[in-house]
Amino acid sequence: MVKLRLVVALLALLVAIPTAKAQEWPNRPVRFIVPFPAGGSTDVATRVIGEYLSRALGQQIVVENKSGANGDIGIEAAVRSAADGYTVLVVSDAVSSNPHVYKMNVDPLKGLTPVIQLSRQPMVLAAHPSLGVASLAELIALARQQPGLRYATGSGVGAQHMVVQWFASIAGIKLEQVPYRGGAPAINDLIAGHVKLGSLGSTPLIPHYKAGTLRLLAQSTAKRSPTLPDVPTYQEAGIKGLVLDQWLGVFVPVGTPPVIVTRLNTEINKALAEAAIRDGFLQSGQEPVGGSAEAFSQLVHGDFETYARLVKELNIKVD
């Protein structure tokens, strides 16, 4: 009987040790992996949230840009990291789309735990003024005369690419993708006129739109973004049924203690409720969301199915 009680006590102690450590979290800096270059939508949002969390958690949030392979390098690094709360991934819906078009070394849906949705934003089709088009209808007419017009994206085969191929399929035109390793380098070439079209998240496009150096032809959400009230949706421009949001969300490696997941969710929800942070998101074209980890998990898995359908219907392949 004494031995049995000793075994039970030891087991209870073993269970309590990780729980106690989780409750002490964080007691050192926390790494936030961004799988895209600095300057893009994901990076901007991460640094805004990271600054708030550094104050709220009392530990520095270190943002690490691990770009490449359409986000797969950063995603894989997060999945393979220790599930101790000191590695956090902030990523786009690439976690839902990439498995359908890339040979990944990890399964992001099995290797990551959703924490919270940060934001959603439209994917916007932008044109350099020298292209000479001011509307989607004018672009369609030009593309019929010049098949294979090139368009930039901030990643490889992903949401920004799929939305244009979906549009092209409905419009009966042919457009050719030029993939970049992030939104910032794509926009640099777009502004310089090296490529005349771009399908990108709204965040890095808005300053150039306001300055008149780029024209925005359509946005992919069901309704116009509050920060882009003058830009029609694809549906309003005649491309019926085309609705596809681009979202940003927070994940941790599977196995991260639930108390840490809950703490992160709570603190980030508080951040997104701050007027200054909400205004900052909206001014950059991102609508802050927040909510529960469960709701975000449903979105992640739902979009996984949506992208599976689009890849099949549009016959999308990696070159």
Side-chain angles (χ1 to χ4, degrees):
M1 181 64 70
V2 175
K3 288 184 177 179
L4 178 59
R5 287 176 180 173
L6 182 59
V7 170
V8 171
L10 287 172
L11 288 174
L13 181 62
L14 290 173
V15 171
I17 287 172
T19 301
K21 287 184 177 179
Q23 289 174 342
E24 293 172 0
W25 178 91
N27 56 24
R28 55 186 170 87
V30 181
R31 178 177 64 150
F32 272 49
I33 293 177
V34 174
F36 303 107
S41 304
T42 311
D43 181 72
V44 170
T46 302
R47 293 180 187 277
V48 170
I49 294 297
E51 184 178 344
Y52 176 93
L53 290 178
S54 291
R55 299 192 301 270
L57 299 176
Q59 291 290 341
Q60 184 181 4
I61 302 300
V62 180
V63 178
E64 181 178 348
N65 297 92
K66 293 183 73 68
S67 63
N70 200 46
D72 283 358
I73 291 175
I75 292 170
E76 181 176 344
V79 170
R80 298 190 186 282
S81 295
D84 56 7
Y86 291 95
T87 297
V88 177
L89 175 71
V90 184
V91 68
S92 69
D93 45 16
V95 296
S96 295
S97 61
N98 281 10
H100 302 295
V101 289
Y102 293 101
K103 184 178 180 180
M104 301 183 70
N105 295 318
V106 297
D107 185 336
L109 268 64
K110 291 182 179 179
L112 296 169
T113 294
V115 175
I116 191 169
Q117 182 183 359
L118 287 182
S119 65
R120 57 174 163 253
Q121 65 173 323
M123 284 167 281
V124 181
L125 189 61
H128 191 274
S130 65
L131 189 62
V133 299
S135 69
L136 216 56
E138 291 180 2
L139 173 63
I140 292 170
L142 180 64
R144 286 175 177 159
Q145 296 174 1
Q146 302 177 27
L149 284 173
R150 301 190 309 154
Y151 65 94
T153 60
S155 62
V157 177
Q160 295 172 359
H161 168 60
M162 290 188 207
V163 74
V164 173
Q165 292 306 311
W166 193 0
F167 153 59
S169 175
I170 294 172
I173 58 176
K174 182 175 177 58
L175 299 172
E176 182 181 335
Q177 182 197 25
V178 182
Y180 288 78
R181 291 187 63 176
I187 288 174
N188 287 340
D189 272 10
L190 182 58
I191 293 169
H194 300 314
V195 59
K196 302 297 180 71
L197 283 172
S199 176
L200 297 151
S202 58
T203 299
L205 290 172
I206 288 176
H208 305 290
Y209 170 59
K210 290 181 176 179
T213 51
L214 290 177
R215 295 172 179 169
L216 303 187
L217 308 182
Q219 52 184 313
S220 66
T221 39
K223 297 180 181 179
R224 298 187 185 192
S225 166
T227 52
L228 294 172
D230 299 326
V231 179
T233 66
Y234 275 98
Q235 290 203 117
E236 289 174 330
I239 309 301
K240 300 303 181 184
L242 196 161
V243 176
L244 194 63
D245 291 356
Q246 184 171 10
W247 48 257
L248 298 180
V250 177
F251 297 81
V252 291
V254 161
T256 299
V259 66
I260 294 178
V261 175
T262 299
R263 178 83 187 280
L264 270 172
N265 178 276
T266 299
E267 296 297 343
I268 293 173
N269 266 313
K270 289 179 182 178
L272 294 173
E274 291 276 333
I277 290 178
R278 292 187 65 83
D279 289 345
F281 268 68
L282 289 169
Q283 288 172 11
S284 68
Q286 298 188 60
E287 181 184 348
V289 178
S292 69
E294 293 74 20
F296 182 40
S297 180
Q298 290 177 8
L299 173 66
V300 171
H301 287 83
D303 274 8
F304 181 87
E305 299 300 328
T306 296
Y307 286 119
R309 176 179 60 82
L310 285 176
V311 167
K312 182 178 180 180
E313 291 180 357
L314 299 175
N315 194 30
I316 289 175
K317 294 181 175 62
V318 178
D319 292 332

